[in-house]
Amino acid sequence: MEAQERLENLIRVLPDWFAANKRDLPWRADREPYHVWLSEIMLQQTRVEAVKGYYSRFLAALPDIPALAAADPELLHKLWEGLGYYSRVRNLQKAAQLILERHGGVFPRSWEQVRALPGIGDYSAGAICSICFEQPTPAVDGNVLRVLSRVLAEERCVDEPRVKRELTALLAACYPSPGAGTLTQALMELGATVCLPNGAPNCGLCPAGEFCLSREGELWRRRPVRAKKKPRRVEQRTVFVLRCDGALALRKRKSSGLLAGLWEFPNLPGHLEAQAALDLAAERGLRPRALERELERTHVFTHIQWDMRCFYLRCGAQAPGFTWVREEELDSRCALPTAFRMFREAMEPGRDGRPPSPENNSL
Ligand code: SF4
């Protein structure tokens, strides 16, 4: 059986399987482009379960494209707090502003116009155009690549752009319209719930089981072929939670680079010892009264790992050079990424200082 025929078989069996097995997800309630777009962007690098709450809160605060375009950036960051990859939400807003300027507030329908919006790549454009407008535009992400690579027993590395392009073209050649939106969602669903990335896929429950070339002999263990990942760079950082008269010291991060524009607890490269941390606080005019706690935590970004040592200092003066924020205000208004939020969580009784949120990537 040729690859094309195998894919046609897959496309034939998926709609019924999807109808019987799809999860009830909030963004599947309708095919409104704003909703599908928002969910696709939120779901990048993030688990479905984690996204549900964020999605509902975001839509409650910013129910449509004009509201998103006009939103205060501080509110945007707060709504995204803990999801990671914060450039996604800034690009959402830029795209919303462009939709107002160039498209009269109506979400564009052509793949090229959708693809031209900030933050939208081939995958998201394909997902939006197929799900919302029934266009035969595949959306090939890691989940879908895994399914294709296993069904076809693709021997080449799927991280090579040429291989990904060829698989996408093969799929596009047999994409149905109408039926494109269901197929896009069904492929994603199969990759997310049956043809799993870690551990054994559920081949016994898979609608592709009869013609998949990776089921026999557990070839799925070696498919897809992936490129070796570079090891993460490990950096040590010293973090200060400085408390004075019910307020905490914060700083705003630079407007570009890692965690751009977000709030942070004061921190510096390297690991200080406790005495050096107290001396530094004294030099900065903070009049440290007590070292209340010391905590070590690791936070993992995509390419970097921060090994953090945090000192909780009770201070006698709100020295300049910091933004002193009342604790309630910090929680309700300031977007503090998980790398720092976990030290705030550790101040609450009953918390052990581990991050409660899904974020492990915060670029
Ligand atoms: S049969 Fe198994 S390996 Fe093949 S697509 Fe289905 S779950 Fe994946």
Side-chain angles (χ1 to χ4, degrees):
M1 197 188 296
E2 294 293 317
Q4 186 85 20
E5 197 182 336
R6 234 171 263 286
L7 286 190
E8 281 165 5
N9 280 338
L10 181 64
I11 287 167
R12 185 173 43 75
V13 297
L14 275 178
D16 284 350
W17 172 83
F18 184 60
N21 294 284
K22 67 180 173 190
R23 290 167 295 176
D24 186 17
L25 301 174
W27 44 90
R28 286 186 177 154
D30 59 61
R31 294 191 181 193
E32 158 66 35
Y34 179 52
H35 299 168
V36 173
W37 171 40
L38 177 63
S39 67
E40 287 301 331
I41 300 297
M42 280 190 168
L43 285 163
Q44 291 167 10
Q45 319 282 345
T46 314
R47 290 178 299 108
V48 162
E49 284 309 312
V51 166
K52 285 180 182 172
Y54 282 94
Y55 176 80
S56 307
R57 282 194 296 277
F58 199 98
L59 277 187
L62 305 172
D64 51 29
I65 290 174
L68 169 59
D72 180 342
E74 202 68 50
L75 170 65
L76 286 182
H77 279 153
K78 189 67 189 169
L79 289 167
W80 212 264
E81 184 185 54
L83 262 184
Y85 293 102
Y86 293 86
S87 59
R88 290 184 293 173
V89 72
R90 292 191 290 275
N91 279 330
L92 272 172
Q93 183 172 53
K94 281 187 210 155
Q97 291 164 347
L98 277 177
I99 291 169
L100 289 185
E101 280 166 37
R102 290 190 193 158
H103 305 290
V106 178
F107 204 94
R109 290 181 77 96
S110 86
W111 187 93
E112 287 74 16
Q113 286 178 328
V114 174
R115 176 69 176 81
L117 294 171
I120 295 193
D122 291 352
Y123 165 78
S124 305
I128 293 166
C129 289
S130 58
I131 295 172
C132 304
F133 310 127
E134 289 295 347
Q135 293 171 17
T137 52
V140 178
D141 67 349
N143 277 334
V144 176
L145 262 186
R146 183 170 58 257
V147 172
L148 298 181
S149 144
R150 285 177 172 169
V151 169
L152 303 176
E154 175 59 63
E155 291 174 356
R156 298 169 297 171
C157 173
V158 296
D159 293 310
E160 281 177 30
R162 189 171 55 90
V163 175
K164 186 174 172 185
R165 263 200 313 275
E166 282 179 25
L167 288 173
T168 305
L170 206 56
L171 184 60
C174 38
Y175 231 71
S177 177
T182 299
L183 177 59
T184 292
Q185 294 181 78
L187 275 167
M188 293 172 181
E189 193 78 347
L190 189 69
T193 62
V194 176
C195 196
L196 304 170
N198 303 312
N202 295 313
C203 297
L205 300 175
C206 181
E210 278 184 22
F211 49 84
C212 172
L213 287 174
S214 293
R215 189 176 179 182
E216 277 294 308
E218 300 191 344
L219 181 63
W220 48 261
R221 289 185 186 279
R222 301 191 301 283
R223 297 290 180 277
V225 177
R226 306 294 313 238
K228 273 221 170 90
K229 282 189 185 154
K230 279 192 198 156
R232 288 193 184 94
R233 191 172 78 238
V234 178
E235 292 180 0
Q236 294 183 330
R237 298 202 77 81
T238 300
V239 178
F240 292 87
V241 174
L242 306 168
R243 187 154 36 174
C244 181
D245 295 335
L248 294 167
L250 292 184
R251 288 191 317 206
K252 199 72 177 268
R253 289 182 65 83
K254 285 187 297 188
S255 58
S256 61
L258 187 68
L259 304 174
L262 297 163
W263 292 99
E264 65 178 1
F265 288 128
N267 63 92
L268 46 83
H271 276 171
L272 293 183
E273 296 303 325
Q275 190 54 55
L278 285 164
D279 292 347
L280 182 62
E283 270 171 39
R284 297 282 166 90
L286 288 155
R287 285 197 235 135
R289 295 271 160 77
L291 172 53
E292 294 180 318
R293 194 174 179 189
E294 186 179 333
L295 200 59
E296 303 223 340
R297 288 285 179 269
T298 293
H299 186 75
V300 177
F301 299 92
T302 309
H303 304 298
I304 307 172
Q305 173 177 317
W306 278 357
D307 288 346
M308 295 186 285
R309 175 177 295 170
C310 179
F311 295 104
Y312 291 77
L313 298 185
R314 186 154 47 79
C315 302
Q318 293 187 0
F322 306 101
T323 301
W324 291 89
V325 179
R326 310 279 322 156
E327 294 189 30
E328 324 75 74
E329 196 189 343
L330 188 158
D331 295 332
S332 63
R333 295 189 36 181
C334 300
L336 198 60
T338 301
F340 299 103
R341 171 67 61 184
M342 59 184 166
F343 296 113
R344 167 67 183 144
E345 304 285 347
M347 294 166 74
E348 302 290 319
R351 299 271 178 91
D352 70 352
R354 301 217 172 265
S357 80
E359 178 183 357
N360 66 353
N361 292 297
S362 314
L363 285 164

